[in-house]
Amino acid sequence: MKQIINIGIALLSIVLVSCEGFLQREPLDFGNDKAYFKVVDDLMNYNNTFYSLFPGMKSSFWGGVYADDNNSDNQAGTTANNLFYPGDKYTPLVKDSHWKFDHIRNLNYFIHTIQDKIRLNEIAGSPELINHYLGEAYFFKAYEYFRLLSNIGDVPILNDVLSENYDELIVASKRSPRNEVARYILDLLNTSHELMMTAAPQQGRLSKDAALLFKARVALFEATWEKYHQTTAFTPGNPKWMGAATYPDFTFSGGNIESEYNYFFEVAIAASDSIASTHTLYEDYQKLFNDTKGDVMASSEVILAKYYKLGVNGHSATHYLKRTGAGTGFTRSLVESFLTSDGLPIYADPSYQSDKIMYYMLQNRDKRLTQSVKVGGLIKDNNDTIVYYKPQIYSSGNQGTPTGYEVKKWISEEIGQDETATSGTSSTPIFRAAEAYLIYLEAYYERYGSLGGKCDEYWKALRNRAGVNNNYPATIAATDLSKENDLAAKSRGTEVSTTLYNIRRERRSEFIAEGMRLMDLKRWRSLDNMTNYQIEGFNLWDDIYKIYSNDQIKIGQTVSSSSLGVYLRPYQIVSSSIVYDGYTFPKQHYLEPIPVSEIIMTNTNGLDNSPIYQNPGWPSKIAGPADYDFDCD
Amino acid sequence: MKRILFMVISCVVGLSIFAQSFTVTGKVTDQHNESIIGATIMVKGTTTGTTTDFDGNFSIHIPSKSSMLVISYVGMQTKEVAIGNNTTGLIIQLADDSKVLEEVVVVGFGTQKKINATGAVKTIDNKMLESRPISNAVQGLQGVVAGLNITNDNGGALGQPMNINIRGLGTIGEGSVSSPLVLIDGIEGDLSTINPNDIANISVLKDAAAASIYGSRAPFGVILVTTKEGTEQDTRYTYTGNVRLSAPIAIPKAVDSYTYALMVNDAYGNAGGNPPFGSSQLNKIQRYQRGELLYGIEQAEGINDWAWNQRSFGNTNWYEEHLKSYTYSQEHNLSVRGGTKKINYFLSGNYLNQNGLFTHADEQFTRLSINGKMNISLSDKLNFNWSTRIVDTKNDKPTALNALFYHNLGRRSPLMPVYMPNGEYNKESLIPSLLNGGRYLVNNQQFYNQGQLVFEPIKKWKFYFDLGSRIEKPNESRQFKKLSYTLPDGTSNYFPVLEGVADKSTVTESGTIIRQPAAGTNYYERALGNINYINTNARTDYELQFDKHYFKVLLGVQSEYYFTEIIRVASDNITLDEKPFLPAGSGTNPRLSEKKGDWSNLGLFGRVNYAFDDKYMVEMNMRGDAASRFPTKQRWGAFPSISAGWNMGQEKFWSSMYEKGFEMIKIRASYGVLGNQNTSSFYPYFQYMNSEMGGLVINDTETIILPGPRPFATSLTWEKIENTGMGIDLGFLSNRFSASLDWYQRITRDMVGPAKPLPAVYGAAAPRTNNAELKTKGWEIELNWRDRIGKDLNYFITATLSDYQSIVTKYDSPDGALNGYFPGKKLGDIWGYQVEGIAKSDQEMNDWLQHTSQSALGKNWGGGDLMYKDIDDSGSVNAGGNSIFDSGDLTVIGNGTPRYAYSMSMGMSRKDFDFSLFFQGIGKRDVFFNNSATFFGFAGEWQRSLFMEHLDYFRYAGDPLGANLDPYYGRLRTDNNNIQISDRFLQNASYLRLKNLQVGYSLPKTASLSKYIYKARLYLSGENLFTFTNLRIYDPEAIGSSISEYGPGKTYPMYRVFSIGLEVTL
């Protein structure tokens, strides 16, 4: 009996002594941050995560770059866009908002960790590559900050990986004035440019030139924003600015707002020139957007592109665009703004044939238009059918086209590319040198009021490639802004100079269906004159209606009434349409709202003392639409 | 004395060898000296037997006078009688089978007399599982034990797991798990894989006092399953088997194509859109219906493809096309049982084969289990028990038969025809995917081995040494084949096996490969796993009884180790589609994953029971647990519990009542604190950082990505579950009536929940911490009555009723979001608008909008739309901040927790016939089918499910479908105006279901038959025969829960089962 107790006690104590080892279990299939960043490939893999931030085509689903301009006056989607009319746009939840800093946290973590490890010489690999990947991280941080700047404006500048300390987070939430954010982005890009390699270490990776071009984009954006939004609630340095109370002693680094934006213009000019002067344009415009072979992407023009591969991320662009209307279409305004090949606006060129018949309207036009839009209608030349294509205005949803001008740009004619929504492998340029040419033109003219410097060279290069007579002074002379059906003819309600307008026209033409338009309209403050603005499509009721059956074009069901005009008006088909009277842009929509919960959460002790001030006109207490009576100017 | 007796016995035995057989005659009566007809008389240890005649008399030959007779009768206690020299005129009186004093309950590490039990424990025998055409034991337990909540929202898919909890949800499930611990003969196991025929009894330990001996694995109750074992008897062979017919129930009735088109047109028009069906298509639809068109689909205009989807004009009822009217299944079970004084054994084999309900999907579920159990008496003091169990389950079905299939079936348009003009199945019919899209095979093998040594050096002092092991081999293969259809010009095109989802190719953090291959890609995936669980346990108990004092002491240690790994390998472009195997080398687009993990646990436990005179009882438990899941400093936890009982029935002052039959009135109370170690992650206090495939192409290859490290908790520790309970047990009239009533409260302290949300500049989700608290209160009632009418009719009625509610009492929710948790939130609460009614005209709506703006809910309001109430008098109906601080016009309109779970079973037997009924139901439950196309007919452009029920929607006079100004539904719309969460469409999901009905006939036990057949019974049994519910469209057990990916109703249908079965024991 006693023996048994003794044995029992002995067993028990053995168990207890050995239990610590028995109970200490460590993860078997995942690591922690201590395990990584010992070799340079880890740095590369870490940065790979952020490449998905770049725009591209969608895999499986509809959408992507070809439809991004649905949010502008260039293209129209199947439904009205709530940005362009009051009442339907609300303060969002954090997860749906732009007020997100997750990538910035991860990038700050990376930058700090890698800098420490470089100092301690703890990473195996070539120093050049290590620096390059550190540079990529700086680039992505700049890229994220530009998203914040262009959508929200003033945002907190975060350099550290923040702790969970609530009070510190409230302090860190304080928004910085937008010009300082922009300067911060330029700093990041300078560092990035210093660290990255001149030639990308791999196809599809960033390089020094990408940092330069992006720097030019950021600088031009901020410069024009400050110029056209100055003295309003959208820029610092005046009492209407939402941050005026938070920053009572605000001054511009450049002295005043004019010197501030001129500084940005100058940065834009210098950065864009260093790209434009070293990169020629690729001769075949169309091929830039439907190339599957890669030689175009290796060209001097393409600085960075997104690549696709079957079975990994094959895209749907060709599938949708070739087989259907893809739920988008160019607007009449966009199509009309293109010049003729003589370099004249359509109203000034007697050779221009009316848009009654699309085929003829597209003769002798800027190639960037003719290579981007499908030709519809029935054209016969002696009994031979030249064109027979029915734009799918009668189909609903993503099958159809709301305007009748179906998108051809991005379609690859290679066999198999259109087969499924994942068979597209044509690459998408993310950064191309043409943008530098355009930035130079615009920044130079905005800064100096003339077309000096290399403006002549760059402008002509763009036109030559587009097959447009490069005599741009003749274009300027022939331009009559009152005849231009273009929101960008005006900034903040007043007409801009014909020269500047033609620079903007060049930009609009060059970037057709590339998703750049909304950013331009905002920074130019050209949405002010979007009042009762009807989105229009092709000329339906003069001629092309004849090729449709009665069932396909039912007024009030699939098409707008001919009594409203000959042009198809996709948002004026049914009388109950919320924008039946056209788009009227509320100025409050120039900046995105900040989630109300963030403002409430950062109020300390229940007082309304959040360091986060809301954007102009947006509510800060209860989620909802903007206050449309709020005076932004 | 003993020695003398032994000599006498051996003499008698010795003599009897030479003796002739004797005839014994006698009579069997009950307590009231009424003779019993049909009582069975067997000679012990032989198959010789007879039954009593109409006067209760019997006559039987026995081999010797030393033989024992065993007299049994249903509802009476079996009695053994020694013959001796009284061979004639025996009067054998059988007592009622009332076990009031003898009845035991199975508790942790032992059994206990029921009368002395102080915890909330319920032990049931296997009667509730017998002869039921169920596919697993969990189904059979639904509704059987009050407080054991087994619910199902996901229909009747083969192998479908059901939700099990004891006394409600223990945590909110954000970082920790609260399922009950299931122990099969002492080792943790899967209740759904055990052969129901092997179960001897099941004990449910509901409160902390009962469960605490199992410590940190058991804070939310324990289900103890004891399987059958051998007995000292001649070898008996038992076969039971049944064949079953299953028929789907509650299938929605779809509208025809023309009605469908008109309804769609209405919906678009009502939302301010363009009606998609023009006159020419409506015309085609009607012509097809009249039989004037041969095909329901044609070539699309201008292109070499067919006019798919809404442009076709067939007329198909997709539920009818896809569902069989019945399917069959079968189950066979064979067991051998017997033993001697030294060795007892029980062996059984079970085979279950179930077929699916879908016409075009060859789907099978099979379970094969083999069970062996042996008890060996090595010496007077040493016993050895050994058991082995092998379970093999297999589910073989088309890959395409997944959640997406039910979703697509629910929204299939009747316009699509089944066949194409070229004779192929329409690819949109989903049929080619089911038939030829590849198979998904899930196979799991479980191998249990248990050994136990019982050493009893001194009478009543026992040592137990247990070693248990479970080895599991999960094994899956999944294949996607290439599918193609023929284009109008005769060429062919590939189409994807899964319709309507993005092609995907990702490996999730849990290691599963999410692959939805593009059209024309054949894909094959294998998963092989290995799970090892080892449980060792050493304990000792000592029982002591002197005078009226009873003590029992238990002490022990337990260790557990669990290891799991699963490897998945997949590749595209498999060489042989018909016989898929992974190609040598890496193949095309390979995907690999390996997940593994382990945990260990160490526990020390002790228990003291004390009872005085069967009157006063106290039980104390103590368990100390250390779990590998927590950091060293927080690793150990101590969990005490105490319970006490007072049996008033034994008191002197009660004796007069006792005499009248009120034998037992026991009041008990318990209190205990248990820890929960079941965190969702095995390693919750480690930082996670891992590379994965990125789905992006750089340098012409798919990238690997390495996401940033996540913030992680270093302070995570035990959730502490505090249980308080009280109960009364009653046993009256020789236990003919018994009842128990229980009340309890459970507080889950330091519950793991999301940390207080941080401002977005933090840039990550804050790690979870022990910062929440949940309180659950509930009660249970169980009533039993069993008796006999006259001599032959035995019957019983059992009823249970239980309820619980849970409230979050602590939770960091600065924004008080209604869809999250906040202090004071009752689990299951549904927040919604209140509806005044449906406006009968545009004028009525305009009048309403004068004072109540509804612009926050939608636009284009008019007649036929809902008028929502402005609760907060703000002039507009809105959700405010969707927060408890600002809930706008939202109020709690209902609660989705299934409440008042009840059941009733009754049965009777008369001579050879038996009959039983089992009802099960939920007394109160609200559900709202949020945004559900299947409930509302419309929810967004691609979600159209138009059933006959939906025809009850608002229409003016002149509508092609006729006027309906007083409908249930508002006018159909493609937008969300009329499908906001509101009290108008809140559904009552309570139900009462006749779960089981059985009629059986047993072969009479006559001497001549009993020589060959010990027992034989033929039965008819039906499952889910009738359902009473007010729920629209759905079956209350197939509504789909939050875990069903595509919303309500998109599940496998429930079914009704009819079976015929046979039980034979030789």
Side-chain angles (χ1 to χ4, degrees), chain A residues 6-19, chain B residues 557:
Chain A
N6 286 339
I7 290 168
I9 289 169
L11 276 174
L12 206 69
S13 47
I14 289 165
V15 167
L16 285 176
V17 169
S18 61
C19 75
Chain B
V557 293

Side-chain angles (χ1 to χ4, degrees), chain B residues 862-884:
Chain B
D865 289 332
L866 266 56
M867 296 179 290
Y868 294 94
K869 283 189 200 164
D870 178 20
I871 306 292
D872 62 359
D873 285 326
S874 62
S876 91
V877 180
N878 59 63
N882 252 313
S883 148
I884 187 70

Side-chain angles (χ1 to χ4, degrees), chain A residues 339-344 349 363-366 467-469:
Chain A
L339 299 175
T340 64
S341 42
D342 304 329
L344 295 172
D349 191 337
Q363 301 302 311
N364 306 321
R365 296 292 293 278
D366 188 330
V468 177
N469 188 327

Side-chain angles (χ1 to χ4, degrees), chain B residues 464-482:
Chain B
Y464 302 82
F465 301 95
D466 292 352
L467 181 66
S469 138
R470 181 176 87 237
I471 297 168
E472 282 181 67
K473 297 273 178 202
N475 177 349
E476 286 181 25
S477 73
R478 193 160 70 117
Q479 184 194 7
F480 285 87
K481 288 189 190 175
K482 281 183 187 177

Side-chain angles (χ1 to χ4, degrees), chain A residues 1 22 60 390 422 551 557, chain B residues 274 280 301 461 503 596 600:
Chain A
M1 169 82 190
F22 177 66
S60 300
K390 253 195 232 183
T422 49
D551 208 39
Q557 292 187 2
Chain B
N274 311 330
S280 72
E301 195 183 315
W461 189 12
D503 302 342
K596 52 188 172 183
S600 50

Side-chain angles (χ1 to χ4, degrees), chain B residues 1025-1039:
Chain B
L1025 292 181
F1026 296 104
T1027 307
F1028 306 93
T1029 180
N1030 288 323
L1031 187 66
R1032 278 174 179 253
I1033 302 175
Y1034 306 108
D1035 183 89
E1037 289 193 85
I1039 57 182

Side-chain angles (χ1 to χ4, degrees), chain A residues 12-33:
Chain A
L12 206 69
S13 47
I14 289 165
V15 167
L16 285 176
V17 169
S18 61
C19 75
E20 265 316 298
F22 177 66
L23 291 169
Q24 189 61 43
R25 304 273 160 206
E26 303 221 332
L28 301 175
D29 61 5
F30 62 88
N32 56 22
D33 64 343

Side-chain angles (χ1 to χ4, degrees), chain B residues 82 217 227 255 343 380 603 617 671 688 719 772 806 895 930 1046:
Chain B
R217 303 286 316 285
T227 60
V255 298
I343 297 180
D380 288 354
M617 296 67 95
Y671 174 83
Y688 181 94
E719 294 178 322
S806 302
N895 191 296
N930 192 10
Y1046 297 99

